[in-house]
Amino acid sequence: MLEGITEYWLCVGGANVDVQGVTSARLLPGTSNPGEVHQAAGGVARNVAENLGWLGEEVQLFALVGEDADGEWLRQVTANSGVATHGMLRIAGKSTGRYLAIRDRDGELYTAVADMELNEEWPAEIVQQGLKRLPQAAGLFLDANLPVDVMRAFLAEARRLDKKIIVDPVSVKKAEKWKGLLEGVHILVASIEELEVLGGQSLHSYNDVEACAKKLVAEGIHQVMVICGEAGLWLCTAHEEKWLAAPTMPIREAAGDVFAAGIIYAQNKAWSLTEQAAFGVALAEMRTKGNGRYDIDALLARKDYYAAKERQIIDRE
């Protein structure tokens, strides 16, 4: 690292406005449903960057926004967490990406529409600016809200510089983009549905999940973390593997982004898979209680609680 320059995490990917409609009763398709509609800042890379910022980490975010009020609002909200937003480029004549989700009263996703055309328009100059930030970066977080050629460019440079690479498939549809690109990735954080796409097989049992993740490790990923809903979390490397019980709070969508931020935060603080996952679970739980800077002491205490709990479960088996 160059003298006088503080290491930071470089996050590259999506930034968009999330609009969520949640019904107040059981959702009835094909008709109007009473409920609430609210707006939040979203985008996987943006969410990860923001949560690292609230943890006090140095972060630089590279993402596209439109030349509109939504884009400026996203930049301001993200900057409030301490994230460096000079890489959030405004694209003239384009609208900021929007994600519209409809949920029933228990939070289950019924349907969603993603208007993300903007993410296919990465100018060469912003890509080059991002690549120039990699030499001083502690590591790279990359999501699939990018054209494949942009993903390839960042992956190739990060590998050349021997940087730690952490990736997120984003969705079942976008997981297809990662095929053939995962060799040399340090950590893959994925849902079980995304793992099915990456492994090219249906997963019906614990053994299926284990075999599929191990296959990806054999193909060049150092560490795989799979979020399997009520079945728990499957974590594996070439030398360590384990199932962890599902946390009481579901890790899905935005909570999955917070989980990934916790994994990144743990990189120079915890070596075991259990400890790293405990950081992610504890952070995701804390975020449900409000936005703003995290209480690090409370995070560490919650992390220790989850890590000890998982050790007890393992010891009983």
Side-chain angles (χ1 to χ4, degrees):
M1 183 175 69
L2 297 178
E3 185 176 354
I5 296 179
T6 302
E7 275 195 335
Y8 47 81
W9 276 91
L10 182 65
C11 296
V12 183
N16 54 263
V17 174
D18 282 350
V19 179
Q20 305 273 342
V22 183
T23 63
S24 55
R26 182 61 60 190
L27 187 146
L28 297 175
T31 187
S32 177
N33 287 263
E36 297 181 352
V37 176
H38 57 89
Q39 175 176 303
V44 175
R46 196 217 67 85
N47 289 348
V48 168
E50 179 183 55
N51 281 281
L52 287 172
W54 287 128
L55 283 164
E57 295 288 288
E58 297 288 333
V59 191
Q60 295 191 13
L61 173 64
F62 277 73
L64 303 185
V65 295
E67 199 173 47
D68 53 16
D70 281 345
E72 185 56 33
W73 177 74
L74 274 179
R75 285 167 57 92
Q76 290 297 323
V77 168
T78 307
N80 288 343
S81 68
V83 172
T85 59
H86 53 265
M88 293 182 74
L89 181 68
R90 286 186 285 253
I91 304 298
K94 296 293 182 179
S95 298
T96 299
R98 295 179 72 85
Y99 174 80
L100 171 64
I102 304 298
R103 303 178 183 279
D104 68 14
R105 62 183 177 182
D106 62 4
E108 285 294 328
L109 181 66
Y110 179 74
T111 191
V113 178
D115 180 5
M116 305 293 180
E117 181 182 354
L118 178 73
N119 287 329
E120 298 303 317
E121 310 223 359
W122 277 68
E125 58 267 28
I126 193 68
V127 176
Q128 290 304 312
Q129 289 177 31
L131 293 175
K132 288 178 181 178
R133 301 286 176 173
L134 267 173
Q136 285 77 47
L140 170 69
F141 175 82
L142 199 65
D143 74 28
N145 285 308
L146 298 162
V148 173
D149 61 335
V150 174
M151 295 164 63
R152 288 184 184 277
F154 277 98
L155 289 168
E157 184 65 2
R159 291 189 191 106
R160 187 184 73 81
L161 295 168
D162 196 28
K163 297 295 181 180
K164 190 170 285 189
I165 307 168
I166 299 177
V167 304
D168 189 308
V170 176
S171 68
V172 171
K173 178 68 174 177
K174 291 176 182 176
E176 294 278 356
K177 294 182 176 182
W178 286 111
K179 289 185 175 181
L181 299 181
L182 292 170
E183 183 178 358
V185 164
H186 186 70
I187 301 177
L188 167 69
V189 180
S191 69
I192 189 171
E193 295 83 6
E194 292 160 353
L195 186 67
E196 287 185 323
V197 174
L198 295 171
Q201 64 184 89
S202 297
L203 306 176
H204 303 291
S205 68
Y206 290 95
N207 288 338
D208 287 348
V209 173
E210 293 169 12
C212 188
K214 289 177 184 178
K215 176 185 174 184
L216 292 177
V217 169
E219 292 174 354
I221 303 176
H222 174 71
Q223 182 174 321
V224 176
M225 293 188 160
V226 189
I227 301 168
C228 303
E230 294 180 355
L233 302 171
W234 169 247
L235 319 173
C236 72
T237 69
H239 309 291
E240 183 183 6
E241 58 188 56
K242 62 184 61 181
W243 279 99
L244 302 184
T248 55
M249 183 209 70
I251 299 177
R252 58 191 179 197
E253 299 183 47
D257 303 342
V258 183
F259 176 81
I263 300 303
I264 294 172
Y265 182 72
Q267 287 309 292
N268 62 353
K269 301 173 181 65
W271 303 109
S272 75
L273 292 176
T274 297
E275 291 279 325
Q276 290 184 23
F279 265 108
V281 172
L283 195 72
E285 179 194 62
M286 291 177 71
R287 178 48 68 206
T288 65
K289 299 177 180 179
N291 294 321
R293 189 163 295 279
Y294 289 102
D295 181 330
I296 300 301
D297 289 338
L299 173 64
L300 292 174
R302 209 61 196 150
K303 180 270 298 183
D304 289 342
Y305 167 79
Y306 279 116
K309 180 180 177 183
E310 297 306 342
R311 279 195 291 270
Q312 291 168 8
I313 292 171
I314 293 166
D315 290 343
R316 288 200 302 268
E317 292 179 347

